[in-house]
Amino acid sequence: MAATTAKKGVGLYLDAVAIVLAVAGIVAMIVSGTMGSGYEFSGLPLYACACVLAVALIVVAIYTDLKCAEKGPGLVALFALGVAIFLLAYSGIQVVSSRALTISGLFSWNSMDTTGWHMFWAAATSAGCLLASSVLLTIGGFLPIAKAPAR
């Protein structure tokens, strides 16, 4: 009952934006990993599943915080949020690190490769969305998900 009567806090909106950014990062990661046979992303299934798990953990953290709005964040919500932040940040870093040699080639000898540039922009978008999502989750973790009802 408290979840329906409590006003939503800033943390909830930051978490919602973080979910949207994470989903955009997952889509960009899949696009980057499937550009062509020469630009395969070997860890794509692992990191895509990790990001989907992170989104599910964010939803669990939001649900448990809203369920117990008057008590404050519980241990399950804090743990789920921490693991989600780690998974999103780690996946974003892995997207860039797996593309480092290809990206360095684009800035030197292979600058006319248009497919490579599309892969670069998709990888940069994916990494940026995933890292921005983890930053928003970190900030939102310190803010209330729901405001306590007035007594």
Side-chain angles (χ1 to χ4, degrees):
M1 186 70 172
T4 58
T5 59
K7 289 186 176 184
K8 308 306 181 244
V10 177
L12 178 70
Y13 298 114
L14 285 178
D15 288 350
V17 171
I19 289 173
V20 171
L21 283 173
V23 170
I26 294 168
V27 170
M29 181 192 308
I30 292 170
V31 167
S32 170
T34 58
M35 277 283 174
S37 61
Y39 299 102
E40 293 174 350
F41 181 27
S42 61
L44 178 65
L46 174 69
Y47 299 121
C49 288
C51 290
V52 170
L53 177 63
V55 170
L57 286 172
I58 296 167
V59 172
V60 166
I62 291 172
Y63 176 74
T64 57
D65 273 349
L66 286 176
K67 188 176 175 187
C68 304
E70 63 275 350
K71 293 187 221 174
L75 192 58
V76 172
L78 291 175
F79 182 73
L81 197 59
V83 171
I85 291 168
F86 170 76
L87 288 173
L88 289 173
Y90 182 73
S91 297
I93 291 169
Q94 289 303 314
V95 168
V96 172
S97 68
S98 70
R99 302 293 190 190
L101 289 175
T102 306
I103 291 169
S104 67
L106 289 174
F107 287 104
S108 59
W109 56 271
N110 199 12
S111 62
M112 300 307 283
D113 183 11
T114 56
T115 305
W117 281 107
H118 291 293
M119 181 276 311
F120 167 74
W121 288 115
T125 302
S126 174
C129 286
L130 293 174
L131 293 175
S133 176
S134 64
V135 168
L136 284 177
L137 285 173
T138 303
I139 294 169
F142 291 103
L143 299 172
I145 294 284
K147 298 175 185 174
R151 293 178 189 209

